[in-house]
Short mmCIF file of all heavy atoms in Angstrom, two decimals:
data_model
loop_
_atom_site.label_atom_id
_atom_site.label_comp_id
_atom_site.label_asym_id
_atom_site.label_seq_id
_atom_site.Cartn_x
_atom_site.Cartn_y
_atom_site.Cartn_z
N VAL A 31 30.03 143.26 -92.92
CA VAL A 31 30.76 142.30 -92.10
C VAL A 31 32.04 142.98 -91.62
O VAL A 31 32.47 143.98 -92.20
CB VAL A 31 31.13 140.99 -92.86
CG1 VAL A 31 29.90 140.21 -93.28
CG2 VAL A 31 32.01 141.29 -94.07
N PRO A 94 34.93 140.45 -96.97
CA PRO A 94 35.40 139.13 -96.53
C PRO A 94 34.21 138.19 -96.31
O PRO A 94 33.15 138.62 -95.87
CB PRO A 94 36.09 139.43 -95.20
CG PRO A 94 36.34 140.88 -95.19
CD PRO A 94 35.29 141.50 -96.04
N ARG A 95 34.42 136.93 -96.62
CA ARG A 95 33.35 135.94 -96.48
C ARG A 95 33.81 134.78 -95.63
O ARG A 95 35.01 134.48 -95.55
CB ARG A 95 32.92 135.42 -97.86
CG ARG A 95 32.39 136.49 -98.80
CD ARG A 95 31.20 137.25 -98.23
NE ARG A 95 30.08 136.39 -97.91
CZ ARG A 95 29.09 136.07 -98.75
NH1 ARG A 95 29.08 136.58 -99.96
NH2 ARG A 95 28.12 135.26 -98.37
N ALA A 96 32.86 134.11 -95.01
CA ALA A 96 33.11 132.91 -94.21
C ALA A 96 32.06 131.87 -94.57
O ALA A 96 30.94 132.22 -94.98
CB ALA A 96 33.06 133.23 -92.73
N GLU A 97 32.41 130.61 -94.42
CA GLU A 97 31.43 129.54 -94.65
C GLU A 97 30.20 129.80 -93.80
O GLU A 97 30.31 130.16 -92.64
CB GLU A 97 32.03 128.18 -94.29
CG GLU A 97 33.14 127.73 -95.20
CD GLU A 97 32.65 127.33 -96.60
OE1 GLU A 97 31.49 126.89 -96.74
OE2 GLU A 97 33.44 127.47 -97.54
N ASP A 98 29.04 129.64 -94.40
CA ASP A 98 27.76 129.76 -93.69
C ASP A 98 27.55 131.12 -93.05
O ASP A 98 26.86 131.23 -92.04
CB ASP A 98 27.62 128.65 -92.63
CG ASP A 98 27.68 127.26 -93.25
OD1 ASP A 98 27.09 127.08 -94.34
OD2 ASP A 98 28.33 126.38 -92.67
N ASP A 99 28.12 132.20 -93.62
CA ASP A 99 27.91 133.52 -93.03
C ASP A 99 26.52 134.09 -93.34
O ASP A 99 26.11 135.08 -92.76
CB ASP A 99 29.00 134.51 -93.41
CG ASP A 99 29.07 134.82 -94.90
OD1 ASP A 99 28.13 134.51 -95.66
OD2 ASP A 99 30.10 135.39 -95.32
N GLU A 100 25.81 133.45 -94.26
CA GLU A 100 24.45 133.81 -94.64
C GLU A 100 24.31 135.21 -95.24
O GLU A 100 23.22 135.71 -95.42
CB GLU A 100 23.48 133.66 -93.46
CG GLU A 100 23.40 132.22 -92.98
CD GLU A 100 22.35 132.00 -91.90
OE1 GLU A 100 21.72 132.99 -91.43
OE2 GLU A 100 22.14 130.84 -91.53
N LEU A 101 25.42 135.85 -95.55
CA LEU A 101 25.37 137.16 -96.20
C LEU A 101 25.04 136.95 -97.67
O LEU A 101 25.67 136.15 -98.34
CB LEU A 101 26.71 137.87 -96.07
CG LEU A 101 26.82 139.23 -96.77
CD1 LEU A 101 25.88 140.24 -96.13
CD2 LEU A 101 28.26 139.72 -96.72
N MET A 102 24.05 137.68 -98.14
CA MET A 102 23.70 137.63 -99.56
C MET A 102 23.98 138.99 -100.17
O MET A 102 23.79 140.02 -99.53
CB MET A 102 22.24 137.24 -99.74
CG MET A 102 21.97 135.81 -99.33
SD MET A 102 20.32 135.24 -99.75
CE MET A 102 19.35 136.04 -98.50
#
Side-chain angles (χ1 to χ4, degrees):
V31 296
R95 300 302 302 269
E97 292 289 332
D98 300 320
D99 64 15
E100 298 186 355
L101 177 65
M102 292 189 284

